[in-house]
Amino acid sequence: MTELYIDGTAAYLPKNLSVQVKRENPLFTKNGEYTYDITLPLSAPVNAALYSHLNRLNSVAEVKTRRRAVLVADNRVYCNGTEVVTGWTHDAVTIQIASGNSELNYVIGGDLQVSFLDGMPETGTIIEAGARFCVTQRYPEAEMCMPMVYDRDADEILNPWFVDNTVDPPELSPGDLHRFDVPGADMERFYPQPYLCAYLRYLLEALGYELEYNFLEETIYKDLYIVNALRTMKWNEMLPGWSVADFLEQVELLFNATVVVDNRRRTARLLCRSTFYTTPTVAHVLQVEDEYETESADEDGDPAAVQLTRCDVRYNLPDNAYWRARCLPQSVKAAAKKGTIPADFRPTDSLIGRLDAWFADAAHQRTDTIYTDAKTGRKAFWNQDREVENSPKDHWQPADEFAAIERDDPEQEVELEMIPAELAQVNIALHFRESSSDFAYVNYRYPMPAVDGAPRYDADADEDSTEDEDASTPVSDLIENADADDDDEDTGASTGSKGRILLAFYGGLELPVPQYANVKLPMSFTDEMLYVWATNEIILTDGLAPTLRLQDLEGNLWQDTLEMDLDNEITFRIHDPNLYDARQVFEIRNRRYVCKEMEFTLDANGRKGAWTGTFYRTGMSDLQADPRWIVADGRWRDKGVWLDNGRWLDG
C-alpha cells in the first residue's frame, strides 16, 4: 500500500496512481531523493482541504509554503522531504517531493541569496580582548581571525594591529595589542575575517541543517578564511550576489567534496569525494533479472559529476600584473626563454634553498629566462632592478604558482570562482615600545590581502602584444605588457554583483616580520612561498603555511582512492524487495559496483514490478569492502584472503 502524508495529514491517492521515485548518489549528481509529478484529485475532500489556499493564488511562483511530505510504500519510506507544487487546475494539483540533496540544492538553497539568510552570525563590536583571542587562537577554537586587509577603494588598512615579539602570545595583556597607526587601543576599523569552515557551518544552520562532519577540519585547509573588506559585521553580507547553491557548488569543486544530507535527522556532512568509499557498507543484491551496458551519458555540466582529474582546471583570476606573474599568460610562456634546474642539483650550503643557491650563480641571473625546477616543479626568474646597479631588490621571483592544470584530452574545463587572495604590499607605520614610556615609529611595507570594490585594469594591458617581442625581453616586461588569455570581463572581487570569493590562510604570529625581530604581525598566505615585491625578497615558511596551488590541491584532495569505470554505465532490472541507500557499495552477481541512481515505480498498492539501478564497476578489494576485526589481539590484518575451503585467512 502507498501512502502520502502532507504535514502529517494523509492525502487521498487515486486508484490509478503511478509515481516514479528516483534515488541518486550525490557523489555523481547534485540530486538525492525525489519524485516525478504526483497528480492528486481535488474532488476528494481531504485534498481539497489540503490545497484550498491555491484558489487564491495566480501562479506557482506565489506558492510560499514548503510543507513536509512523506511518501511511504510497503511500510518503507521512499521520500521524506518537502512538497513542491508544480501546477494546478480546478480539478487536480500536481506536486513533487524533494528529499536529501534535492531539497537542499533546489528547494531550500536554489536561488536563495546568502545575503538574505536569517540566522547567520553578526559579530558585535570587536573589543580588545576579543581581537586578542582571534589572533592567538585558530579554528576551531576561534571562528574568525583578525589579519590585516587592505581596502584599495578607501586606501585604508583594516585590522591594523601588531604585538611585541618579546610577548608570548598566550600571555597577551591589554597593553600588548597595538594599533600601528595611532597610539592606544582604539578598536575601530576592526572587522571579522571568518574561517571558511565556520562560515559553512553557520550557513547550513541558517538553512536548517546541522553540519555534523566536515572533512576540511581534519586537513591543512581548516586555516582558510574568507577575506572580508566590506566593513560589515554581518556574515551574510560578506558575499553579495552569491546564492547558497553557487557557494556550495564552489566549495565542492575547489575541494573535490560533496555535501550529503540526511533529511530525517536534518544533518549534513561534507565529505571528500576521494575518500567517499573508505569505509563502505556493502549490500548484497538478489533477484537480478537482466543487465545491459551503455556509455556514460553527458551530465549537462552537473557540477557533482565533474571528475577534476579528467578536466582542465583553472582559477578565474583578475587580469593584472600581479596575477599574470602567478599564472603566466600563454604569450609570456611563448616569448620567454626556458631553462631547467636539474633534479640532482644540490646547494653547497644545506641552509640555503634550491632556488637561492641556483640564482646565486651569476650565470643563472638571466632576466629573460624562466627556470623550472625539475625536482619540485616550481618556476622562477631573475628580477633585476634596472634603475639601481647591485640593488638589494635584485632577486629571483617565483612564477606561475597558481598555473592552470591542463590535460592532454580533457573532458571539460572547470573555472573556479573561489580564488587565492592577492597579497599586496602596503606601507604601514609601526609604533612599539623601546622603553616603558616611549614608542618608536618604523615605516614598513607589509604584505596583506587586498580587495578592490570595483573592476581594476592595467592601462597598458591591452595595448601591447608580445607576439613580436624580442626573445631577450625581460620576463618582468613580458608580464607587465601581456594580453589577457581571454576577453572575459573582470567582475571584481567584492562588488555588489556576484564576484570572486577570496581565500587566504591565516598564518598566525609564528613567522617574524622581516628586518624587525621585535615586532609580530599576523601573517596571511596563499602559498608556502610569500613573495615580497617591495623589497624583492622571498619569505619561506618552512612548511608552516600551506598552499592553494592547484597542483597541491590535486595531490592532496583530488586523487580517487577507489578505482571506478566511469565511462561505462551498467543498468540492472532488479526484483530484490529491499530498499537500498544509493551511497552503498553493491555486490551483484559476485561483482562490486557503486550506484549512480535507482528508480522505482509505485502504484496505489505499493512497489510495482522490478526497479532499475544504474551502476559503475569498481575494483574494490575484499578487504576494502568487508574489513574484519581480529578479536584475539585487537589488531587489524591487512592481507586477508578467502581460502578454497571457505575459511578466512587473516594474514
Side-chain angles (χ1 to χ4, degrees):
M1 180 179 178
T2 301
E3 301 168 283
L4 173 62
Y5 296 91
I6 306 293
D7 264 359
T9 301
Y12 171 78
L13 300 178
K15 293 182 179 179
N16 63 346
L17 175 73
S18 181
V19 180
Q20 298 296 117
V21 181
K22 291 198 77 171
R23 290 189 153 197
E24 300 189 0
N25 190 338
L27 183 65
F28 303 112
T29 74
K30 289 184 71 64
N31 302 322
E33 303 160 6
Y34 60 96
T35 70
Y36 291 106
D37 282 349
I38 303 174
T39 302
L40 302 176
L42 294 179
S43 57
V46 65
N47 292 348
L50 278 171
Y51 296 97
S52 59
H53 63 287
L54 298 180
N55 296 327
R56 301 187 294 273
L57 303 179
N58 295 322
S59 70
V60 175
E62 296 183 56
V63 179
K64 303 297 183 185
T65 304
R66 292 169 176 165
R67 301 184 293 187
R68 302 302 302 164
V70 182
L71 182 65
V72 181
D74 304 326
N75 293 321
R76 294 185 175 91
V77 176
Y78 278 79
C79 249
N80 179 1
T82 297
E83 168 205 43
V84 181
V85 177
T86 58
W88 69 87
T89 65
H90 291 293
D91 303 320
V93 60
T94 57
I95 68 169
Q96 294 179 352
I97 302 173
S99 181
N101 284 64
S102 291
E103 181 182 14
L104 172 63
N105 294 317
Y106 301 113
V107 179
I108 294 179
D111 296 327
L112 178 64
Q113 297 290 298
V114 174
S115 56
F116 296 158
L117 277 179
D118 294 326
M120 293 282 283
E122 179 177 355
T123 303
T125 302
I126 302 178
I127 62 173
E128 186 178 346
R132 287 201 308 278
F133 181 80
C134 292
V135 301
T136 58
Q137 302 295 322
R138 299 196 193 181
Y139 188 83
E141 288 76 21
E143 296 176 336
M144 60 186 182
C145 54
M146 300 296 293
M148 287 181 283
V149 176
Y150 178 53
D151 181 351
R152 281 197 179 97
D153 284 351
D155 191 23
E156 281 190 327
I157 300 171
L158 308 184
N159 305 333
W161 63 269
F162 74 96
V163 297
D164 291 342
N165 195 30
T166 56
V167 180
D168 189 20
E171 302 299 329
L172 284 176
S173 64
D176 295 324
L177 184 66
H178 308 300
R179 279 186 58 164
F180 53 70
D181 48 0
V182 295
D186 181 7
M187 299 307 293
E188 294 180 359
R189 286 207 337 259
F190 280 73
Y191 295 94
Q193 311 294 309
Y195 284 105
L196 177 63
C197 289
Y199 198 93
L200 181 63
R201 173 163 52 84
Y202 280 118
L203 180 140
L204 288 170
E205 286 182 2
L207 296 173
Y209 296 93
E210 177 190 355
L211 183 60
E212 65 176 7
Y213 175 74
N214 180 355
F215 85 96
L216 290 176
E217 296 182 356
E218 302 172 351
T219 70
I220 56 177
Y221 303 101
K222 67 180 177 62
D223 287 330
L224 278 173
Y225 69 91
I226 297 175
V227 178
N228 164 41
L230 297 182
R231 298 171 183 265
T232 179
M233 297 292 189
K234 297 180 179 180
W235 288 28
N236 62 328
E237 295 179 352
M238 295 178 185
L239 301 180
W242 278 83
S243 70
V244 170
D246 287 341
F247 175 79
L248 293 177
E249 175 186 316
Q250 287 299 314
V251 170
E252 290 179 327
L253 281 175
L254 180 62
F255 300 108
N256 195 34
T258 183
V259 178
V260 178
V261 172
D262 185 331
N263 267 74
R264 296 173 187 172
R265 298 190 299 126
R266 305 299 293 176
T267 61
R269 292 179 294 156
L270 184 69
L271 304 176
C272 183
R273 292 164 58 92
S274 297
T275 57
F276 192 84
Y277 286 110
T278 300
T279 56
T281 302
V282 180
H284 303 275
V285 181
L286 306 175
Q287 303 180 42
V288 179
E289 182 179 342
D290 61 15
E291 70 176 273
Y292 55 92
E293 181 173 342
T294 61
E295 290 187 3
S296 296
D298 185 4
E299 296 295 340
D300 298 325
D302 187 342
V306 172
Q307 303 293 318
L308 292 176
T309 53
R310 299 176 168 208
C311 302
D312 285 349
V313 187
R314 68 181 67 252
Y315 285 120
N316 180 14
L317 300 172
D319 177 32
N320 58 51
Y322 177 92
W323 283 115
R324 286 186 223 129
R326 280 144 190 82
C327 183
L328 294 174
Q330 294 298 327
S331 57
V332 175
K333 295 179 182 179
K337 294 181 180 179
K338 282 78 175 177
T340 301
I341 302 175
D344 58 358
F345 172 72
R346 295 288 184 274
T348 56
D349 187 342
S350 60
L351 298 179
I352 298 179
R354 287 174 57 82
L355 292 174
D356 277 326
W358 178 262
F359 285 103
D361 187 342
H364 301 150
Q365 295 174 3
R366 302 180 56 181
T367 60
D368 60 352
T369 303
I370 298 175
Y371 290 94
T372 301
D373 190 338
K375 182 177 181 180
T376 64
R378 292 276 185 172
K379 291 183 173 63
F381 63 92
W382 183 256
N383 197 355
Q384 187 169 336
D385 187 347
R386 280 166 286 173
E387 297 180 0
V388 180
E389 187 176 355
N390 296 323
S391 167
K393 292 185 178 182
D394 294 346
H395 204 284
W396 61 270
Q397 177 179 336
D400 224 17
E401 303 105 297
F402 300 105
I405 294 178
E406 298 177 343
R407 318 283 182 190
D408 292 335
D409 186 19
E411 292 182 350
Q412 65 182 90
E413 179 175 290
V414 176
E415 194 169 59
L416 301 171
E417 299 292 334
M418 280 186 169
I419 69 170
E422 176 180 342
L423 296 179
Q425 285 284 326
V426 181
N427 189 65
I428 60 179
L430 300 178
H431 62 89
F432 54 92
R433 286 188 178 91
E434 286 188 333
S435 65
S436 60
S437 59
D438 299 327
F439 281 90
Y441 290 83
V442 178
N443 287 325
Y444 180 69
R445 291 179 65 83
Y446 179 77
M448 63 188 75
V451 174
D452 296 314
R456 181 167 60 90
Y457 298 94
D458 287 350
D460 60 349
D462 299 321
E463 295 178 359
D464 300 321
S465 172
T466 61
E467 293 181 0
D468 299 325
E469 292 278 1
D470 186 354
S472 62
T473 302
V475 175
S476 58
D477 287 354
L478 295 176
I479 292 172
E480 186 69 28
N481 300 322
D483 291 329
D485 282 341
D486 56 63
D487 297 324
D488 292 342
E489 183 178 355
D490 190 342
T491 58
S494 58
T495 64
S497 60
K498 176 184 172 184
R500 306 173 183 88
I501 296 178
L502 305 183
L503 301 177
F505 292 99
Y506 178 53
L509 302 174
E510 286 84 352
L511 298 173
V513 177
Q515 304 176 13
Y516 301 107
N518 58 340
V519 172
K520 277 191 176 180
L521 295 170
M523 282 286 191
S524 294
F525 288 91
T526 54
D527 188 20
E528 60 189 6
M529 288 184 180
L530 177 60
Y531 174 58
V532 185
W533 54 258
T535 56
N536 214 10
E537 64 179 332
I538 309 298
I539 301 176
L540 299 178
T541 66
D542 296 326
L544 291 176
T547 171
L548 283 173
R549 296 174 71 231
L550 292 176
Q551 290 78 4
D552 292 327
L553 282 165
E554 179 172 35
N556 293 334
L557 300 177
W558 299 355
Q559 299 297 326
D560 292 328
T561 57
L562 180 63
E563 178 185 350
M564 293 180 284
D565 182 6
L566 300 177
D567 295 324
N568 298 287
E569 296 179 348
I570 313 296
T571 301
F572 294 98
R573 282 177 49 84
I574 303 170
H575 290 273
D576 192 317
N578 295 297
L579 181 61
Y580 296 107
D581 188 333
R583 294 166 292 182
Q584 293 177 282
V585 172
F586 293 82
E587 188 174 280
I588 303 174
R589 293 175 175 171
N590 295 322
R591 296 197 64 172
R592 294 191 181 92
Y593 302 84
V594 292
C595 180
K596 176 187 176 186
E597 62 187 25
M598 50 184 69
E599 185 169 345
F600 310 88
T601 301
L602 307 181
D603 61 15
N605 297 316
R607 185 191 291 179
K608 178 182 178 181
W611 56 277
T612 60
T614 302
F615 301 86
Y616 299 115
R617 292 192 181 96
T618 175
M620 179 175 290
S621 67
D622 287 342
L623 190 67
Q624 287 177 291
D626 202 7
R628 283 165 167 72
W629 180 259
I630 309 303
V631 181
D633 58 5
R635 297 177 59 190
W636 284 102
R637 296 294 189 264
D638 59 0
K639 297 181 180 179
V641 294
W642 286 107
L643 302 180
D644 292 339
N645 61 5
R647 295 184 60 190
W648 177 260
L649 180 63
D650 62 20

